[in-house]
């Protein structure tokens, strides 16, 4: 029996400088035609933002694919050789492991994270995973016409905040909590902030446990600013029951005090990450921080000291 590895298609992502090729990533394309089309579309958006290029090469390994691409570039410039630039990312290239199609979905995720969010009509659990492989960003659970708009806002908001977008296979699942029989698509942009934070946590740029005990609602601007989505008062009322902390656009805090929720206002994505990383959404003596019990935020049944004092003062 022959152990020869059959050739397969690889996508090579990088930038041709005219004097060398900066390799950003190389990975096998999905064998499923639909997944392949989605992956190449996502890669096209990413490299257009970064002024890069993508090439499809059929070879037996990542190294062979890159070497073949370099020979093609050398021929196009009329040179005998064409080298990789010193700034190239060589992890996939130097591994030089032949890739079997059957193994393409067997990678363990780099990380997972989840957080709560909502629209005017429904609550949602936002779960993100970051998996080794071709760099794509997929959203599962939004109505058909919304994923592209959401991906563009979230990706631009992250990059324009000075943060790194994960060069990995990123999947975000948006699962409704409870019945959604009467739910509409109104205010879907309010999930942006939760999606961005869960992606960054899954990719290791924010500890995943920082998301515990908080809900996030806010539309992301292309500059990373946090904007007010439609139907925010109803959304916050849905999330803020039982003393749950809700991170919202700073410009809306005053108008939301009637909801009774524990509100934390943020003006941009970086500020939201600072709040989460510092656990500012927790009271100083929250149940998690002062005991070995499971992580829970301050609630009406187990309030923190400031809330107890406030309730006592109000009852006098």
């Amino acid at each position: 029996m022959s152990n020869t590895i059959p050739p397969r298609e690889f996508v090579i992502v990088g930038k041709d400088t005219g004097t060398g090729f900066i390799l950003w990533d190389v990975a096998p394309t999905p064998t499923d035609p639909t997944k392949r089309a989605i992956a190449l579309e996502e890669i096209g958006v990413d490299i257009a933002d970064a002024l890069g290029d993508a090439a499809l090469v059929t070879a037996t390994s990542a190294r062979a694919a890159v070497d073949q691409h370099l020979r093609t570039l050398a021929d196009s410039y009329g040179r005998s050789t064409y080298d990789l630039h010193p700034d190239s990312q060589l992890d996939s290239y130097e591994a030089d492991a032949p890739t079997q199609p059957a193994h393409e979905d067997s990678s363990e995720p780099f990380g997972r994270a989840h957080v709560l969010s909502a629209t005017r009509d429904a609550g949602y659990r936002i779960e993100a995973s970051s998996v080794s492989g071709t760099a794509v960003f997929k959203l599962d659970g939004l109505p058909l016409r919304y994923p592209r708009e959401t991906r563009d806002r979230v990706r631009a908001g992250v990059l324009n905040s000075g943060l790194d977008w994960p060069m990995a296979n990123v999947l975000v699942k948006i699962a409704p909590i409870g019945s959604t029989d009467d739910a509409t698509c109104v205010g879907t942009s309010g999930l942006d902030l939760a999606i961005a934070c869960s992606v960054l946590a899954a990719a290791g740029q924010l500890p995943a446990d920082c998301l515990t005990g908080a809900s996030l609602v806010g539309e992301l601007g292309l500059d990373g600013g946090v904007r007010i989505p439609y139907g925010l008062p109803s959304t916050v009322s849905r999330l803020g029951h039982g003393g749950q902390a809700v991170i919202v656009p700073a410009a809306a805090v005053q108008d939301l005090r009637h909801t009774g929720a524990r509100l934390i206002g943020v003006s941009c994505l970086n500020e939201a990450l600072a709040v989460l990383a510092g656990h500012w959404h927790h009271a100083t003596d929250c149940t998690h921080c002062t005991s070995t019990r499971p992580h829970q935020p301050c609630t009406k049944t187990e309030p923190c000291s400031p809330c107890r004092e406030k309730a006592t003062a109000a009852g006098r």
Side-chain angles (χ1 to χ4, degrees), residues 131-170:
V131 180
S132 175
T134 305
V136 295
F137 177 25
K138 293 176 285 188
L139 286 172
D140 183 12
L142 285 178
L144 289 178
R145 75 187 188 97
Y146 287 90
R148 180 61 181 270
E149 299 172 5
T150 302
R151 289 198 303 265
D152 289 347
R153 284 196 306 270
V154 170
R155 185 189 289 107
V158 168
L159 292 173
N160 290 329
S161 296
L163 303 165
D164 292 328
W165 184 260
M167 291 297 290
N169 189 317
V170 176

Side-chain angles (χ1 to χ4, degrees), residues 119-120 186-187 229-236:
T119 64
R120 184 192 67 179
V186 173
Y230 185 83
L232 186 57
S234 299
T235 302
V236 170

Side-chain angles (χ1 to χ4, degrees), residues 57 65-78 82:
V57 176
V66 174
D67 290 346
Q68 182 176 324
H69 183 54
L70 293 176
R71 288 193 295 271
T72 300
L73 290 173
D75 291 342
S76 69
Y77 285 108
Y82 204 72

Side-chain angles (χ1 to χ4, degrees), residues 106-213:
S106 64
S107 300
E108 290 297 320
F110 289 160
R112 293 183 182 275
H114 69 270
V115 71
L116 299 181
S117 188
T119 64
R120 184 192 67 179
D121 302 310
Y124 292 92
R125 175 186 167 95
I126 312 294
E127 182 173 354
S129 66
S130 176
V131 180
S132 175
T134 305
V136 295
F137 177 25
K138 293 176 285 188
L139 286 172
D140 183 12
L142 285 178
L144 289 178
R145 75 187 188 97
Y146 287 90
R148 180 61 181 270
E149 299 172 5
T150 302
R151 289 198 303 265
D152 289 347
R153 284 196 306 270
V154 170
R155 185 189 289 107
V158 168
L159 292 173
N160 290 329
S161 296
L163 303 165
D164 292 328
W165 184 260
M167 291 297 290
N169 189 317
V170 176
L171 172 63
V172 176
K173 292 186 177 181
I174 301 170
I177 300 172
S179 174
T180 58
D181 292 340
D182 299 325
T184 67
C185 301
V186 173
T188 303
S189 64
L191 304 177
D192 290 356
L193 182 60
I195 292 172
C197 291
S198 63
V199 167
L200 293 172
Q205 297 187 48
L206 175 75
D209 62 357
C210 290
L211 298 176
T212 308

Side-chain angles (χ1 to χ4, degrees), residues 47 70 74-75 82 88 100 166 170 208-209 219 229 260 264 286 292 296:
I47 63 177
L70 293 176
D75 291 342
Y82 204 72
S88 295
Q100 294 278 18
V170 176
D209 62 357
E219 176 182 321
I264 300 175
C286 92
T292 58
Q296 294 290 336

Side-chain angles (χ1 to χ4, degrees), residues 206-291:
L206 175 75
D209 62 357
C210 290
L211 298 176
T212 308
S215 301
L216 298 95
V217 182
E219 176 182 321
L220 272 186
L222 300 182
D223 60 352
V226 179
R227 300 173 177 173
I228 301 173
Y230 185 83
L232 186 57
S234 299
T235 302
V236 170
S237 296
R238 178 182 300 279
L239 288 171
H241 56 81
Q244 177 80 10
V246 186
I247 298 175
V248 298
V253 170
Q254 292 299 326
D255 295 333
L256 295 173
R257 295 203 179 279
H258 70 279
T259 63
R262 295 176 55 223
L263 302 170
I264 300 175
V266 296
S267 60
C268 63
L269 176 58
N270 281 324
E271 191 171 334
L273 294 176
V275 166
L276 293 166
H279 283 264
W280 297 349
H281 54 288
H282 296 261
T284 55
D285 64 344
C286 92
T287 304
H288 168 70
C289 298
T290 58
S291 76

Side-chain angles (χ1 to χ4, degrees), residues 27-54:
T29 58
T31 55
D32 178 83
T34 302
K35 291 182 179 179
R36 177 183 180 276
I38 293 173
L40 294 180
E41 178 186 0
E42 292 290 347
I43 291 171
V45 173
D46 287 335
I47 63 177
D49 292 341
L51 302 178
D53 303 290

